[in-house]
Amino acid sequence: MKKYLPLLLILTLLSGLLPTGIALGEATTVTFPVETVSVAVGKTATVRAAAKPYLATKKGVRYTTSDETVATVTAKGVVTGVALGTCQLTATSVYDPTVSQSIPVQVVQPVQKLTVTAAADTVAVGQTLALQVAYEPADATLQGATYESSSESVATVTADGVVTGVKRGTAKITVQSTDGYAKAVYAVTVAQLPEGITVTPESVSGPAGRKVQLKATVSPTTANDKTVQWTSADESIATVNAKGQVTLVSVGQTQILCASSADPAVSVAIPVQGMELAQSVSFDTSLYSVLVGQTTQVYANVLPDATTDKTVTYSVKNKRIATVDENGVVTGVSGGKTIVYATTTDGSKKRAAATVEVIVPVTGVSYKYKDVRVSVGSRDSFTATISPSNASNKAMTWVSSDEGIASVKGTTNRFSVKGRRWGRCKVTGTTEDGSFTVEVYVDVGSLRHAVTVTEVSIRDGKPYLTVKNQSDMNITQVRFLMQGYDLSLQPIVMSTIGDAYVLEGSYNMALAPGESSRHGRFTFYNASDFDGLAELCFCITGWSTDTGFYDRNGKLQKNYTLTDSQLEWVSYPANSDVLALVH
């Protein structure tokens, strides 16, 4: 081990002398930054090789050419072209002369001028334009070029010189010879061609002589040329001028063509209809009827038969009563009448009108009482209830079961009855819509006047009375009141109890129909002696019967009592002033 210590010491010292980062045994290399050198006769080009590792870099390289009659090189790598031809440029490491690198040197005839041409100086967006390049002198060694666009957002260019339009604008294409000695610029205008056309209105129709102005809009908005050309496919039907104004000539169909001036392939055809206009429109009837919630079809007839467009639109005046759809189907909404219209759509503005009656059907008829009463010789009116209340048809017919007792009139739910004689019969009403019926009993004869006073007088200072049964009933009792007055029209005492000035009484003998009472058969309750009786007032307050009478609910009653407002006082002497004193 000891014999190796000196050697290790020497190696350690040597390694300390080496620059930091350089390891012993690292290979030496020489490299050029380019693969070839091109230089013109009399021109220079600088090419500097790099050597590694660090010591090699510090020492540098030595340059030589393989043929100095073609090209020479300086110690700093400046190559000078001497004559046309090729040779090798070699860089050798000074640190390690065994390491070198060579690249070819071509001494060329340089391009002195470039001439750029193309089929046009304008290209459309999305289209291409090929550039051609001519080189001077004709014997220039490297006849190639590179291309660059000044604005690739406007136009791009390929390595082969093909320009593509991107958007409307101008771009400069710089062309440089491959040897770098000549350059030219070619200006390209990128144009936006029309891509589509829209025309308003989208169609034209009307009678001969009508003029319609068409308006064309070219897209996109960036198009360079927005002008269009107008033509008619058949000028016997319609013509069009340069400004797009169409004139209809005759009945028939054709097209107006609108084409881009810049690109005729971009076009649009507008249909044109020369029309025979409607002269009239009418419904097939003046009145349509429909039930609520139901539908009916209305029909409109357009004349003349040769009318080109016979379509109509339908509408109603009051949608709360009825509606109508586009096909003329009317739906009843609520009872009543409204107007339905049919209007031509061909521009002739003809309109027809018809009445729509929405019918609310009758579902029944009734009267609030079972019986009604009328006096003999009198006519009274009554109203039956038709359901529903808004039913459209309230027409009815009425008949009496016995015209001798009562007759009936009426054409609606309101009817009138005339009493002919005392008695009871039945009237029947029938609705025109649905034939629903209602029956009402008619009682003829005034209950208020079933018994009347035929005589009131004073005999021997006493009341003398006569009443008569005017009805068809058997009257079993008549009830009455009396008041008396002296010659000074002062009330006298008539009763020994209660209200002394009012006397109650009754006639308790049966009275057959038409029969009168007999004197002396009246009963006075608690009568006084009638002292000073000079004038007398008498009224009937009620009566009873064993045959009975019917009330308005159809129930048989036996007793009838007059209300205070119904009392009819009779005086003796007749029409005496004492009537004003009765209470």
Side-chain angles (χ1 to χ4, degrees):
M1 181 65 183
K2 292 180 179 180
K3 66 180 180 180
Y4 294 110
L5 289 175
L7 179 59
L8 291 173
L9 181 60
I10 293 171
L11 291 174
T12 301
L13 292 172
L14 289 173
S15 63
L17 296 173
L18 294 174
T20 303
I22 300 299
L24 289 175
E26 183 177 355
T28 301
T29 60
V30 175
T31 57
F32 280 104
V34 295
E35 295 181 355
T36 183
V37 177
S38 178
V39 64
V41 175
K43 301 295 183 178
T44 62
T46 300
V47 183
R48 292 179 180 176
K52 290 184 179 181
Y54 178 74
L55 289 178
T57 301
K58 295 291 288 184
K59 294 292 185 177
V61 296
R62 182 180 298 109
Y63 297 100
T64 61
T65 62
S66 62
D67 188 347
E68 291 191 345
T69 64
V70 175
T72 62
V73 62
T74 69
K76 293 184 178 182
V78 178
V79 178
T80 301
V82 178
L84 296 178
T86 58
C87 64
Q88 292 290 318
L89 172 66
T90 302
T92 303
S93 171
V94 175
Y95 175 71
D96 185 356
T98 65
V99 177
S100 64
Q101 177 68 38
S102 298
I103 60 173
V105 175
Q106 183 177 25
V107 180
V108 300
Q109 175 65 48
V111 177
Q112 297 177 2
K113 182 180 179 182
L114 293 178
T115 301
V116 182
T117 59
D121 60 2
T122 300
V123 63
V125 172
Q127 296 185 7
T128 59
L129 178 69
L131 302 181
Q132 287 83 38
V133 180
Y135 303 90
E136 295 180 13
D139 60 349
T141 306
L142 298 178
Q143 295 192 9
T146 59
Y147 303 87
E148 183 180 6
S149 172
S150 63
S151 177
E152 292 197 346
S153 64
V154 175
T156 61
V157 63
T158 68
D160 297 328
V162 178
V163 178
T164 300
V166 177
K167 73 174 184 179
R168 179 177 173 178
T170 301
K172 293 180 179 180
I173 307 300
T174 299
V175 183
Q176 185 164 358
S177 63
T178 303
D179 62 12
Y181 291 105
K183 183 170 66 174
V185 176
Y186 192 85
V188 175
T189 299
V190 178
Q192 174 64 63
L193 291 178
E195 296 176 358
I197 300 175
T198 57
V199 175
T200 54
E202 297 179 349
S203 63
V204 175
S205 62
R210 182 181 181 186
K211 296 181 183 295
V212 178
Q213 180 63 54
L214 299 179
K215 179 182 179 181
T217 302
V218 177
S219 60
T221 57
T222 55
N224 292 67
D225 186 355
K226 295 182 181 178
T227 62
V228 296
Q229 303 295 322
W230 301 91
T231 56
S232 171
D234 188 343
E235 293 193 344
S236 67
I237 295 175
T239 61
V240 61
N241 64 17
K243 294 183 179 180
Q245 185 182 67
V246 177
T247 301
L248 296 169
V249 178
S250 63
V251 176
Q253 295 180 338
T254 188
Q255 291 182 333
I256 298 298
L257 185 68
C258 178
S260 167
S261 299
D263 184 0
V266 178
S267 63
V268 62
I270 307 302
V272 175
Q273 172 78 63
M275 303 175 66
E276 176 77 30
L277 293 184
Q279 296 179 14
S280 67
V281 60
S282 60
F283 285 104
D284 60 340
T285 182
S286 60
L287 175 64
Y288 294 95
S289 296
V290 61
L291 295 177
V292 169
Q294 301 295 314
T295 62
T296 189
Q297 178 72 55
V298 300
Y299 297 95
N301 183 35
V302 179
L303 294 176
D305 290 338
T307 300
T308 304
D309 181 4
K310 291 188 174 184
T311 60
V312 297
T313 58
Y314 295 98
S315 61
V316 293
K317 185 175 183 180
N318 190 342
K319 292 182 179 180
R320 291 177 295 179
I321 295 177
T323 61
V324 63
D325 68 11
E326 67 276 9
N327 299 313
V329 176
V330 173
T331 301
V333 177
S334 63
K337 290 182 179 182
T338 186
I339 305 297
V340 60
Y341 300 102
T343 305
T344 57
T345 60
D346 63 356
S348 60
K349 299 181 180 180
K350 302 300 181 181
R351 189 172 80 165
T355 299
V356 172
E357 181 179 17
V358 180
I359 298 172
V360 179
V362 175
T363 59
V365 61
S366 62
Y367 186 70
K368 58 184 176 181
Y369 301 120
K370 290 184 178 180
D371 280 59
V372 296
R373 180 170 292 277
V374 297
S375 300
V376 175
S378 297
R379 180 177 292 279
D380 293 331
S381 295
F382 310 91
T383 302
T385 300
I386 289 182
S387 299
S389 59
N390 62 338
S392 301
N393 186 357
K394 290 184 169 60
M396 294 183 67
T397 57
W398 294 89
V399 295
S400 170
S401 63
D402 190 339
E403 293 278 345
I405 295 175
S407 60
V408 62
K409 289 183 179 181
T411 57
T412 67
N413 59 318
R414 184 171 176 80
F415 62 100
S416 66
V417 177
K418 183 174 184 178
R420 300 295 183 182
R421 60 177 170 80
W422 277 84
R424 189 169 190 253
C425 66
K426 179 173 63 178
V427 295
T428 301
T430 304
T431 63
E432 183 175 88
D433 180 8
S435 297
F436 296 97
T437 60
V438 60
E439 294 179 343
V440 181
Y441 285 92
V442 177
D443 300 298
V444 178
S446 171
L447 297 178
R448 180 179 178 183
H449 299 112
V451 180
T452 60
V453 180
T454 57
E455 183 180 357
V456 175
S457 63
I458 299 174
R459 296 182 184 181
D460 301 326
K462 305 295 183 182
Y464 188 91
L465 309 170
T466 304
V467 296
K468 183 178 181 180
N469 181 3
Q470 303 285 7
S471 72
D472 62 346
M473 298 177 288
N474 186 42
I475 301 298
T476 58
Q477 183 188 58
V478 179
R479 297 177 291 280
F480 58 85
L481 293 176
M482 289 193 303
Q483 291 186 33
Y485 299 86
D486 61 16
L487 292 174
S488 301
L489 298 183
Q490 295 299 314
I492 67 169
V493 174
M494 299 292 288
S495 173
T496 60
I497 63 173
D499 187 349
Y501 299 111
V502 179
L503 178 66
E504 296 183 21
S506 64
Y507 184 82
N508 299 315
M509 302 295 291
L511 292 174
E515 185 179 3
S516 296
S517 62
R518 287 177 285 176
H519 183 66
R521 300 295 180 92
F522 287 86
T523 299
F524 303 129
Y525 304 134
N526 305 305
S528 68
D529 57 4
F530 309 124
D531 185 32
L533 180 65
E535 296 196 20
L536 182 66
C537 289
F538 177 90
C539 73
I540 296 174
T541 61
W543 45 262
S544 298
T545 176
D546 57 5
T547 53
F549 64 92
Y550 291 92
D551 65 12
R552 64 185 183 182
N553 294 314
K555 293 182 179 181
L556 193 64
Q557 304 291 337
K558 296 296 182 68
N559 295 295
Y560 182 80
T561 299
L562 280 75
T563 64
D564 288 344
S565 63
Q566 291 177 319
L567 298 179
E568 296 181 354
W569 290 88
V570 179
S571 66
Y572 173 82
N575 301 318
S576 171
D577 292 338
V578 297
L579 288 175
L581 304 176
V582 174
H583 65 283

